Amino acid sequence: MSDLKGKTAIITGSTSGIGLGIAQGLAAAGVNIVMNGFGDPDEIETHRTALEKQGIKAIYHDADMTRPNEIKDLISTARTELGSVDILVNNAGIQYVAPIEDFPPEKWDAIIAINMSSAFHTIHHALPLMRKQGWGRIINIASAHGLVASPYKSAYVTAKHGILGLTKTVALECAENNITVNAICPGYVKTPLVEGQIADTAKARGISEEEVVNDVLLKAQWTKKFVSVEQLSGLALFLCSDAAENMTGGHISVDGGWTAA
Ligand code: NAD
């Protein structure tokens, strides 16, 4: 494992769920953290100070991933306050579940902006810093829905397929600069994002919430287990290591066999 101590990571959407877990994993490896995302200010501050107990520096930036100017400021704040951007984890994401005829156009726009276009903007501003220092790791949190579809998730599935295309393209553009770009494709992880869609899916399909968990979510996951945040954080740490330096442009599924079937 390369020594990650003293490097700086930006994790978008790290006030909750998978992003927070990845922030905790990287902080434990000695990486300074830029947290981002929405939430209760007191809770965010509690998470930030908990990260600093690992002996690293952690700052919080409230950039809204739908706003390119705020994303630009997120990257430049990391550079001015923590020295650079060595690791970029594009993780912020939202979900909305509805048949396409009922899908509100503003929800489509928000999902495409947050789940896909924000990664263009973060990479656009962070890559020059990585090239300059001759090292970088970009990890895009895609989804099993980057590889296969489910009904009623048109915007999400579109955005996640798009993020895999961005991953491959940028990987080629910086392949000779010691910068790797990979995507992680999780199956279902029990975070607030999934908790919310259990109710929505029940409504869209006219079934109970218990049926959604057993017959829809875990039906696809052959292990019959939710993926854990810790499993994803461990994989992100591996992708930052020297062992992964020749892995680029790829996607790694952590989906209990879902996309193997
Ligand atoms: P979550 O709801 O727990 O966390 C989402 C994070 O994104 C939060 O910090 C939230 O504040 C932030 N966010 C939302 N809108 C934002 C905006 N406009 N600007 C900045 N931050 C914003 O969800 P999660 O399950 O941890 O999801 C994280 C990522 O993992 C998402 O990209 C999601 O699509 C992906 N994913 C999740 C699952 C799952 O089952 N939970 C599976 C596959 C992929």
Side-chain angles (χ1 to χ4, degrees), residues 13 15-16 18 38 64-65 91 142 156 160 187 189 191-194:
T15 52
S16 167
I18 296 168
F38 300 150
D64 180 336
M65 289 298 119
N91 166 80
Y156 189 87
K160 294 300 185 180
V189 192
T191 64
L193 182 141
V194 164

Side-chain angles (χ1 to χ4, degrees), residues 116-199:
M116 189 179 76
S117 301
S118 71
F120 160 75
H121 294 291
T122 56
I123 293 170
H124 176 74
H125 293 294
L127 198 58
L129 303 175
M130 293 180 177
R131 280 193 203 280
K132 207 168 160 197
Q133 71 212 9
W135 194 92
R137 292 286 185 270
I138 298 173
I139 300 171
N140 296 323
I141 306 303
S143 168
H145 282 121
L147 301 165
V148 294
S150 294
Y152 314 125
K153 296 183 179 176
S154 52
Y156 189 87
V157 170
T158 302
K160 294 300 185 180
H161 275 67
I163 210 83
L164 293 187
L166 180 70
T167 302
K168 292 178 194 174
T169 308
V170 182
L172 301 184
E173 291 185 23
C174 57
E176 292 183 44
N177 305 114
N178 226 3
I179 300 166
T180 68
V181 190
N182 290 289
I184 296 178
C185 294
Y188 285 104
V189 192
K190 225 171 182 194
T191 64
L193 182 141
V194 164
E195 303 274 3
Q197 68 180 283
I198 291 174

Side-chain angles (χ1 to χ4, degrees), residues 18 188-190 225-234 254:
I18 296 168
Y188 285 104
V189 192
K190 225 171 182 194
K225 287 178 190 160
F226 281 100
V227 175
S228 75
V229 165
E230 291 72 21
Q231 288 159 359
L232 298 175
S233 148
V254 188

Side-chain angles (χ1 to χ4, degrees), residues 231-252:
Q231 288 159 359
L232 298 175
S233 148
L235 176 56
L237 205 54
F238 171 73
L239 288 172
C240 293
S241 74
D242 288 344
E245 78 170 9
N246 220 10
M247 290 173 69
T248 196
H251 62 266
I252 301 123

